[in-house]
Amino acid sequence: DTGVSQDPRHKITKRGQNVTFRCDPISEHNRLYWYRQTLGQGPEFLTYFQNEAQLEKSRLLSDRFSAERPKGSFSTLEIQRTEQGDSAMYLCASSVSSYNSPLHFGNGTRLTVT
Amino acid sequence: DQQVKQNSPSLSVQEGRISILNCDYTNSMFDYFLWYKKYPAEGPTFLISISSIKDKNEDGRFTVFLNKSAKHLSLHIVPSQPGDSAVYFCAAISRIYGGSQGNLIFGKGTKLSVKP
């Protein structure tokens, strides 16, 4: 179990630029989740995949955000035309398809939009 | 509107004593509750959970209590150790979301400091 891996750990970008983050889940986990955490808040759900299918998206996920999970393995989260309000920690998590299976989180990608 | 509330942003306890972290929720549809621990620069890690059909779950030094009538749960850590110093998040989910933990609702967290 190598854990959930996220890349990069930190990203600084200028407003208006596009950014892409990558998440590699635990290999036997078929569910993958993206969350966002801002200072002083708990993680907020963005979207999740079961295998390659994106099954749910939060209304927090504006049309500037897109997530993919080709072949049901790694996932990418892209933010287009970044805004300062997008500055946050983006957390990826994975789990098996069991109701009570806990999420295993990665260490996150911290995005700073200047 | 916060559905999961952790009203104490911080808590300080002495090593060896009990730490009690509290969590309140408003959505009566929640039927599964979890606690996560987060160290700085790391992602949250799962600690312990409880189903709404139970009122207590214990795992070593950690015990979670659920009071459904009060919509309140608490995490007890006994005895507290300096390594327990972290931010603790309470989270909840409802079966109405089809059994996925993707829509976990988190509280804002409580920062626990255990002093030697």
Side-chain angles (χ1 to χ4, degrees):
Chain A
D1 179 357
T2 58
V4 177
S5 177
Q6 291 189 247
D7 183 70
R9 289 297 306 274
H10 303 275
K11 178 71 178 178
I12 300 173
T13 191
K14 292 186 177 179
R15 189 176 54 187
Q17 298 294 305
N18 299 343
V19 294
T20 300
F21 310 140
R22 177 181 170 120
C23 171
D24 288 273
I26 294 171
S27 57
E28 60 267 29
H29 288 180
N30 60 348
R31 287 190 173 174
L32 186 148
Y33 313 80
W34 286 99
Y35 279 76
R36 180 174 68 187
Q37 186 178 14
T38 53
L39 197 62
Q41 302 293 319
E44 295 175 298
F45 168 72
L46 293 179
T47 187
Y48 99 93
F49 294 82
Q50 177 146 320
N51 300 313
E52 66 275 12
Q54 188 173 17
L55 296 188
E56 192 172 346
K57 291 195 288 188
S58 163
R59 52 191 165 84
L60 291 176
L61 209 67
S62 77
D63 55 7
R64 297 184 297 105
F65 288 69
S66 62
E68 294 183 344
R69 193 184 182 196
K71 302 177 184 177
S73 55
F74 71 93
S75 175
T76 57
L77 178 68
E78 181 183 16
I79 308 174
Q80 296 182 327
R81 304 181 304 281
T82 52
E83 302 172 356
Q84 286 188 319
D86 297 331
S87 296
M89 175 73 81
Y90 289 84
L91 294 163
C92 177
S94 68
S95 75
V96 297
S97 302
S98 167
Y99 177 78
N100 292 343
S101 175
L103 273 60
H104 296 256
F105 283 89
N107 289 335
T109 294
R110 179 166 294 285
L111 173 66
T112 302
V113 182
T114 61
Chain B
D1 179 30
Q2 278 247 293
Q3 298 185 65
V4 177
K5 300 177 185 178
Q6 294 178 257
N7 293 319
S8 298
S10 62
L11 175 68
S12 182
V13 300
Q14 206 67 34
E15 181 178 7
R17 306 294 289 268
I18 184 171
S19 295
I20 300 176
L21 296 101
N22 294 304
C23 177
D24 297 293
Y25 61 96
T26 58
N27 189 340
S28 57
M29 298 298 291
F30 287 146
D31 61 357
Y32 192 63
F33 304 88
L34 307 91
W35 285 92
Y36 280 81
K37 178 170 73 173
K38 185 182 185 303
Y39 293 118
E42 294 184 11
T45 55
F46 170 72
L47 193 56
I48 193 169
S49 62
I50 188 167
S51 166
S52 61
I53 62 174
K54 296 185 175 181
D55 54 18
K56 177 183 175 181
N57 189 27
E58 193 171 353
D59 183 2
R61 295 185 298 113
F62 303 91
T63 303
V64 56
F65 295 92
L66 175 62
N67 182 335
K68 280 181 294 186
S69 61
K71 294 192 178 68
H72 177 84
L73 63 157
S74 60
L75 174 68
H76 292 211
I77 306 173
V78 183
S80 302
Q81 300 173 353
D84 296 329
S85 297
V87 177
Y88 289 78
F89 291 100
C90 172
I93 188 171
S94 167
R95 290 181 192 271
I96 199 171
Y97 290 106
S100 160
Q101 285 200 34
N103 213 344
L104 275 177
I105 309 296
F106 283 85
K108 292 186 177 184
T110 297
K111 184 176 182 179
L112 174 66
S113 299
V114 181
K115 299 184 186 303

